[in-house]
Amino acid sequence: MTLGLINANPVVHAKKERVARTEDLHGDDAVDPLEIYDILFLLHPEHPYSLEQLSVLSEESITVDEKLGRILITFTPTIQHCSMATVIGLCLRVKLKHYFPPHFKVDIKVSPGSHANEESVNKQLNDKERVAAALENPNLRQLVDECLYSNEL
Amino acid sequence: MDFSEEGLELKEIQRLEGHNDKVWSLAWNPTSTLLASCSGDKTVRIWQRSPSTSSWHCKAVLEETHTRTVRSCAWSPSGKLLATASFDATTAIWELIGDDFECVSTLEGHENEVKSVSWNASGSLLATCSRDKSVWIWEVQPGNEFECVSVLQGHTQDVKMVQWHPIMDVLFSCSYDNTVKIWAEDGDSDDWHCVQTLGESNNGHTSTVWALSFNPEGDKMVTCSDDLTVKIWDTDSITMQAGEGYAPWKHLCTLSGYHDRTIFSAHWSREGIIATGAADDAIRFFVESKDGLVDGPLYKLMLKKEQAHDMDINSVQWSSGENRLLASASDDGTIKIWELASIT
């Protein structure tokens, strides 16, 4: 898998001022999209900026149906052919894994029209068997872990 | 059998805990009351019911063999061997020797995760399938030796499950490529090849097909999919019973509107009840409709058990011994034993 920078000059947006919120989403607390968004300050695998700054993710891209226990997250890869779209999706899954009550169902998709292989990326990201196998692959797992934890150093 | 007259409910008999990760698959031993389960925790557990207390306990944990998720398990028809398929790209064969299960053989060859394993009716052949898009057929030889006799290419994506026909040596596979493929041997040449593909143009599924199961007579098949439908297929039973070679399968009906999340498992019972397990944590039961209406549905929903588990259900399997006993396996790490019983 090549890790060379494909998008060397991304458009970077100013980071919005954010009020600190607790990260506790467990139990009886209502699931607030804004809280989910706070959690998702991930490092884009190829850039030292957060996903928000690269406009990959914004608050509007998270919808929660609390009654049914369903969450839909849509993200926008920085360029149409972003080869890291599936890795970003995996990072999102791992990051969110323990933040919801176990019965919540999380679907992750690229926002419509934002990726050349939209259907193919969405299908992989929502095939839990494929996701589980990918996360058992040491190389992929390491990449995901680096993306998730390097900005916490 | 007409189920519409009976008031039935699904009673939870016991909840089996022990696995530390998703339980992906279950298999009932055909000759004894053993239940095998396999998991993301890389182990296989063997559960047994105690004759004195009638409660289930874990008899054995098969560990330190597979190095990744164990995705599927299947007992040989004699009940003596257990095959386990793993994301570590191998298939292990286990034998009960004395009081322990020992790994007596390891089948290698697939390029990546093995998703499913199935024995034919006589136990002479084994089939495996993988994300490498291929289906392998292995011949069982004396001394627990397994020889690969065919590598079947044809699917264009990850193959999710393989299942032998209950009577004939015809192999069925279903895939992430949205199709079901049927493989049979050429009369003379011992060459296996694809004899039919059930795809969108045959009223087939429009997304990943996760599982398939046959009715006891072997003339009907149920498939379930990520497209939120369950489909019933049938074949010409006269041709099949006469042993006149392979008869094509055709779509009989589609059950849609009953599931709103992926259906991972479907299993047809000896009495003709189809059980499904889905990503909405529910178990559903479908039976043939006896309404007799001209354009009426052929199959109807008999019962739905919501919140059967706390998370996705990956497998539902009717017991091979008792008619109304069912086991289910879930992402929540547990297995549940159920009885479909009359409402008292």
Side-chain angles (χ1 to χ4, degrees):
Chain A
M1 181 200 295
T2 58
L3 295 175
L5 291 182
I6 292 163
N7 189 12
N9 293 302
V11 176
V12 179
H13 299 260
K15 203 167 143 172
K16 287 188 226 170
E17 278 307 307
R18 179 143 262 108
V19 175
R21 273 180 274 265
T22 62
E23 282 192 5
D24 185 2
L25 294 176
H26 284 289
D28 301 319
D29 294 337
V31 180
D32 178 1
L34 292 175
E35 291 180 75
I36 301 170
Y37 183 61
D38 279 348
I39 294 159
L40 295 175
F41 275 111
L42 294 173
L43 204 62
H44 185 288
E46 291 178 357
H47 299 289
Y49 299 107
S50 74
L51 287 171
E52 181 192 27
Q53 292 165 308
L54 292 167
S55 280
V56 173
L57 206 64
S58 65
E59 289 160 13
E60 298 74 49
S61 45
I62 298 161
T63 48
V64 179
D65 179 332
E66 226 175 316
K67 193 163 146 243
L68 283 178
R70 309 272 158 93
I71 293 162
L72 172 63
I73 296 171
T74 54
F75 69 98
T76 307
T78 44
I79 52 170
Q80 282 272 327
H81 298 278
C82 178
S83 58
M84 299 304 268
T86 43
V87 178
I88 296 172
L90 273 182
C91 289
L92 292 174
R93 281 215 177 272
V94 172
K95 189 83 177 177
L96 293 172
K97 191 173 173 183
H98 301 294
Y99 281 94
F100 304 113
H103 67 276
F104 267 71
K105 311 294 177 187
V106 181
D107 290 326
I108 301 181
K109 296 188 175 181
V110 293
S111 49
S114 70
H115 194 280
N117 295 320
E118 182 177 324
E119 266 184 49
S120 157
V121 172
N122 288 341
K123 194 174 182 183
Q124 278 191 76
L125 287 177
N126 294 292
D127 179 320
K128 71 175 190 198
E129 188 190 65
R130 293 287 282 261
V131 170
L135 293 173
E136 284 188 342
N137 174 322
N139 296 330
L140 211 41
R141 186 79 221 210
Q142 190 182 7
L143 185 62
V144 166
D145 288 345
E146 274 168 15
C147 293
L148 291 179
Y149 301 118
S150 54
N151 66 333
E152 284 173 13
L153 291 170
Chain B
M1 192 165 287
D2 186 0
F3 296 102
S4 55
E5 300 304 321
E6 312 180 49
L8 295 171
E9 60 174 349
L10 191 66
K11 271 167 51 182
E12 185 179 320
I13 303 294
Q14 198 176 342
R15 186 165 142 222
L16 309 179
E17 292 178 316
H19 279 299
N20 294 321
D21 202 314
K22 295 172 165 28
V23 186
W24 282 104
S25 197
L26 296 167
W28 290 94
N29 185 295
T31 58
S32 62
T33 48
L34 290 181
L35 176 67
S37 63
C38 56
S39 168
D41 67 10
K42 306 173 193 160
T43 74
V44 177
R45 279 177 178 253
I46 310 292
W47 309 86
Q48 187 175 43
R49 182 160 56 186
S50 148
S52 48
T53 63
S54 274
S55 88
W56 297 81
H57 64 276
C58 182
K59 175 195 164 72
V61 180
L62 278 43
E63 53 194 344
E64 275 154 33
T65 296
H66 286 301
T67 54
R68 293 201 191 174
T69 288
V70 189
R71 176 63 180 89
S72 162
C73 52
W75 296 96
S76 63
S78 67
K80 296 198 182 106
L81 298 176
L82 178 71
T84 59
S86 169
F87 284 1
D88 66 12
T90 72
T91 303
I93 310 292
W94 307 79
E95 190 175 359
L96 184 57
I97 296 172
D99 224 21
D100 287 313
F101 281 87
E102 277 179 37
C103 178
V104 296
S105 192
T106 301
L107 277 43
E108 293 175 343
H110 280 295
E111 286 169 30
N112 48 50
E113 302 91 67
V114 189
K115 304 288 177 95
S116 175
V117 60
S118 175
W119 300 83
N120 71 340
S122 64
S124 62
L125 297 171
L126 191 69
T128 57
C129 64
S130 162
R131 178 168 62 87
D132 68 10
K133 306 172 193 152
S134 69
V135 172
W136 288 46
I137 298 182
W138 309 77
E139 220 169 60
V140 185
Q141 284 163 357
N144 291 324
E145 291 291 315
F146 290 78
E147 189 194 326
C148 175
V149 296
S150 196
V151 175
L152 303 170
Q153 311 280 7
H155 279 298
T156 56
Q157 295 275 1
D158 184 10
V159 189
K160 298 299 198 185
M161 190 195 209
V162 279
Q163 190 74 15
W164 286 97
H165 187 268
I167 301 161
M168 305 183 295
D169 279 348
V170 177
L171 182 65
F172 292 68
S173 59
C174 58
S175 165
Y176 186 100
D177 69 11
N178 309 347
T179 71
V180 174
K181 279 185 182 287
I182 305 175
W183 314 85
E185 218 174 348
D186 231 345
D188 313 320
S189 62
D190 284 354
D191 250 338
W192 289 85
H193 61 283
C194 180
V195 292
Q196 199 181 359
T197 298
L198 304 174
E200 283 181 58
S201 56
N202 319 87
N203 280 308
H205 288 291
T206 53
S207 189
T208 300
V209 188
W210 281 97
L212 64 103
S213 172
F214 296 95
N215 69 345
E217 297 78 26
D219 65 347
K220 287 196 179 63
M221 163 175 75
V222 60
T223 56
C224 61
S225 167
D226 183 60
D227 70 7
L228 313 183
T229 72
V230 165
K231 287 178 186 280
I232 315 285
W233 309 79
D234 73 353
T235 189
D236 179 1
S237 50
I238 295 166
T239 309
M240 189 191 77
Q241 278 158 27
E244 273 167 27
Y246 172 77
W249 288 75
K250 66 180 200 309
H251 173 262
L252 186 62
C253 71
T254 295
L255 302 170
S256 60
Y258 297 100
H259 299 84
D260 67 342
R261 300 284 299 177
T262 303
I263 309 136
F264 288 116
S265 178
H267 197 219
W268 212 316
S269 82
R270 266 192 313 280
E271 292 179 291
I273 308 172
I274 298 167
T276 65
D280 64 356
D281 318 344
I283 298 173
R284 292 170 177 78
F285 298 93
F286 296 89
V287 292
E288 215 173 339
S289 170
K290 295 265 159 56
D291 290 344
L293 302 169
V294 171
D295 283 322
L298 297 173
Y299 285 81
K300 61 175 187 191
L301 178 70
M302 182 182 80
L303 182 64
K304 174 177 166 186
K305 180 77 176 181
E306 291 182 323
Q307 291 166 35
H309 279 272
D310 296 333
M311 294 171 81
D312 289 10
I313 296 169
N314 298 317
S315 180
V316 285
Q317 289 286 295
W318 292 100
S319 159
S320 34
E322 295 153 64
N323 272 351
R324 303 265 173 111
L325 205 66
L326 181 84
S328 60
S330 167
D331 278 355
D332 66 16
T334 73
I335 297 149
K336 287 192 180 182
I337 310 289
W338 310 86
E339 188 193 333
L340 191 61
S342 303
I343 298 171
T344 42

